[in-house]
């Protein structure tokens, strides 16, 4: 890659040194552009939350819970899938592929989190089941509070019993 020499101040000595960086390292070569891109990146999640919130404004939590599909999806997403992976990781531990307790706990807890908001953003953009995906996001976000606590308790008990 083409490189460019930039003056960098050494922290220890205070000297100005010339260091070579790739021209594609915009954090070094174009810091003003990088600052703008970093600012825009920090706005992406709040903008997605705003779009989801606008969709959810017309829907109550009570209506979202009444829809059977949201509860079934939440049950599978927050309980069944983490349980399958939990059992799979325990089996892998028994058959020689070792995972630490921390790794198993991180995987299971990550699986018990609500789905990414990007999917809701896509459904809003392409006008395909935006209300359903917003309902799913809302219900699984609320249910995940309890599911994560449940999985932490299950993981702690399993660790104490020596299963993990």
């Amino acid at each position: 890659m083409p490189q460019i020499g930039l003056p960098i101040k050494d922290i220890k000595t205070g000297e100005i040194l010339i260091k070579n960086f790739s021209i594609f390292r915009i954090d070094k070569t174009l810091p003003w552009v990088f600052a703008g891109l970093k600012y825009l990146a920090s706005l992406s999640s709040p903008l997605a939350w705003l779009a989801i919130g606008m969709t959810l404004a017309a829907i109550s939590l009570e209506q979202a819970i009444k829809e059977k599909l949201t509860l079934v999806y939440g049950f599978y997403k927050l309980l069944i899938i983490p349980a399958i992976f939990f059992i799979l990781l325990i089996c892998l531990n028994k058959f020689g592929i070792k995972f630490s307790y921390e790794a198993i706990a991180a995987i299971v807890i990550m699986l018990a989190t609500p789905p990414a908001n990007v999917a809701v953003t896509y459904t809003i953009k392409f006008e395909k089941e935006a209300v359903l995906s917003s309902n799913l996001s809302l219900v699984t976000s609320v249910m995940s509070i309890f599911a994560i606590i449940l999985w932490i308790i299950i993981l702690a008990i399993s660790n104490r019993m020596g299963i993990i």
Side-chain angles (χ1 to χ4, degrees):
M1 293 288 133
Q3 297 199 353
I4 186 170
L6 297 173
I8 303 292
K9 187 175 183 180
D10 189 356
I11 297 172
K12 293 179 183 176
T13 62
E15 292 182 54
I16 302 291
L17 303 172
I18 301 295
K19 289 195 173 186
N20 290 328
F21 294 101
S22 167
I23 60 169
F24 300 114
R25 286 281 311 265
I26 62 170
D27 61 326
K28 302 293 184 189
T29 57
L30 300 170
W32 57 91
V33 173
F34 181 72
L37 291 175
K38 191 174 176 182
Y39 180 72
L40 289 174
S42 67
L43 285 176
S44 63
S45 288
L47 287 175
W49 299 333
L50 183 63
I52 292 166
M54 289 170 30
T55 306
L56 290 175
I59 303 162
S60 70
L61 180 60
E62 183 180 338
Q63 287 175 336
I65 290 175
K66 283 182 182 177
E67 193 170 334
K68 183 181 175 185
L69 185 59
T70 58
L71 293 176
V72 170
Y73 174 80
F75 179 74
Y76 278 104
K77 169 71 176 95
L78 303 173
L79 297 176
I80 300 297
I81 293 172
I84 290 169
F85 274 85
F86 180 62
I87 292 167
L88 178 68
L89 291 169
I90 289 173
C91 291
L92 286 174
N93 262 355
K94 300 295 181 197
F95 294 116
I97 301 174
K98 298 293 181 188
F99 290 93
S100 68
Y101 167 72
E102 292 81 11
I104 293 173
I107 292 168
V108 171
I109 291 170
M110 178 195 66
L111 288 168
T113 59
N117 291 331
V118 173
V120 180
T121 306
Y122 283 136
T123 62
I124 292 169
K125 178 180 179 184
F126 296 113
E127 298 175 2
K128 301 286 183 188
E129 302 291 343
V131 174
L132 175 64
S133 64
S134 296
N135 283 346
L136 293 174
S137 179
L138 174 66
V139 171
T140 55
S141 294
V142 172
M143 289 173 65
S144 71
I145 296 167
F146 303 105
I148 290 172
I149 293 169
L150 174 72
W151 279 112
I152 289 172
I153 292 168
I154 291 170
L155 288 162
I157 290 170
S158 300
N159 189 33
R160 293 275 182 180
M161 292 177 62
I163 296 172
I164 299 177

